Amino acid sequence: MSMPKHAYALSPPTIRSLPILGSTERFPVRSIYCVGRNYADHVREMGSDPAGRPCFFMKPTHALVTDDGPVPYPPETSNFHHEVELVVALKSGGRNLAPEVVSHHVFGYAVGLDLTRRDLQNALKQKGQPWELAKSFTGSAPCSALLPATRAVPTVKPWHLRLTVNGELRQEATSAQMIWSIEQLVSELSRYDRLEAGDLLFTGTPAGVGPLEPGDQGVAELVGHACLRFTVVAAGSGSGL
Ligand code: MN
């Protein structure tokens, strides 16, 4: 079936995509979902109760930083935090997915950072306002290349997540510490929204979140499987962001 051709008034936005390990193809990203409160030790360090429900939010695709590109230090914050997270990429989706079928929809796995203006997030929380501007901005979602599930399962479990900044260990955990499993998270999210091919889910961060500064160099790893290297650059220092 041929699609009707549109004459756009502006050039359409570029499709954002992730490299795929072992392939020359790339993974096109449709939407970026994120989970808050999925590791008990991080929930406690944020002063919340781990018994609560997972909290979902989204980032725009222009938040992605791919191919180990520079991470711009954002404006309107003086407490810019790292959160290292296991990322799940979907090759198909649907509504009301049972946990048992979720693995059939997984394309692969990556390691990413849910970068956060912590000072702004705390101020917005106190006012009972949405977190949006603390979480969703250009450069707030660096992500590694994807490890295809066909190469990962069932040999990898649990996943081992680690973040170092300037050679210093900041965050380390395994996916066995997650309150909600990948299967439970995707199932729960699919009750609220129809998931589609190209969706990413950032699955929450363990304890140890902390500040980044311009000039910092970091390495986030799914240990032995995927690696994200990044440098934080001051706004306007040639990142184009
Ligand atoms: Mn997070």
Side-chain angles (χ1 to χ4, degrees):
M1 188 178 75
S2 66
M3 299 292 287
K5 287 211 168 66
H6 297 287
Y8 292 109
L10 306 172
S11 297
T14 308
I15 292 175
R16 306 305 297 265
S17 64
L18 294 173
I20 299 167
L21 292 168
S23 173
T24 55
E25 294 180 332
R26 294 179 68 94
F27 179 88
V29 177
R30 184 193 79 119
S31 287
I32 305 172
Y33 295 92
C34 303
V35 183
R37 302 177 189 143
N38 200 31
Y39 289 78
D41 52 359
H42 171 63
V43 177
R44 288 191 200 97
E45 80 178 348
M46 297 299 290
S48 299
D49 177 4
R53 305 285 293 177
C55 146
F56 292 103
F57 58 96
M58 296 184 74
K59 293 183 186 246
T61 56
H62 69 254
L64 281 173
V65 177
T66 69
D67 303 276
D68 291 347
V71 171
Y73 194 99
E76 299 298 327
T77 185
S78 55
N79 196 15
F80 180 45
H81 268 205
H82 55 73
E83 298 189 357
V84 68
E85 310 203 356
L86 171 62
V87 179
V88 181
L90 299 184
K91 63 182 176 187
S92 53
R95 284 191 191 277
N96 298 317
L97 303 176
E100 299 73 40
V101 307
V102 165
S103 64
H104 303 310
H105 297 282
V106 173
F107 179 88
Y109 304 89
V111 59
L113 296 172
D114 165 17
L115 297 177
T116 303
R117 289 166 164 137
R118 190 72 69 202
D119 43 2
L120 182 58
Q121 184 191 30
N122 290 336
L124 292 168
K125 271 187 191 172
Q126 278 181 3
K127 286 191 267 186
Q129 292 181 356
W131 295 356
E132 210 73 24
L133 292 176
K135 289 286 195 181
S136 306
F137 50 90
T138 298
S140 66
C143 192
S144 74
L146 282 170
L147 173 69
T150 47
R151 291 174 52 185
V153 175
T155 48
V156 184
K157 226 173 196 184
W159 298 96
H160 179 190
L161 271 177
R162 185 163 64 195
L163 171 68
T164 59
V165 178
N166 304 327
E168 172 195 324
L169 182 65
R170 294 283 186 92
Q171 293 186 269
E172 186 164 35
T174 81
S175 57
Q177 295 167 258
M178 291 166 66
I179 298 170
W180 297 69
S181 69
I182 290 168
E183 292 77 12
Q184 289 171 319
L185 289 171
V186 173
S187 174
E188 176 83 359
L189 180 59
S190 74
R191 294 171 54 201
Y192 294 89
D193 202 1
R194 181 182 188 85
L195 301 176
E196 300 278 2
D199 288 348
L200 299 180
L201 177 62
F202 282 59
T203 60
T205 198
V209 301
L212 293 169
E213 302 293 344
D216 280 351
Q217 295 191 320
V219 182
E221 292 172 273
L222 272 186
V223 178
H225 299 285
C227 181
L228 162 70
R229 294 176 186 280
F230 65 96
T231 301
V232 182
V233 298
S237 60
S239 68
L241 298 169

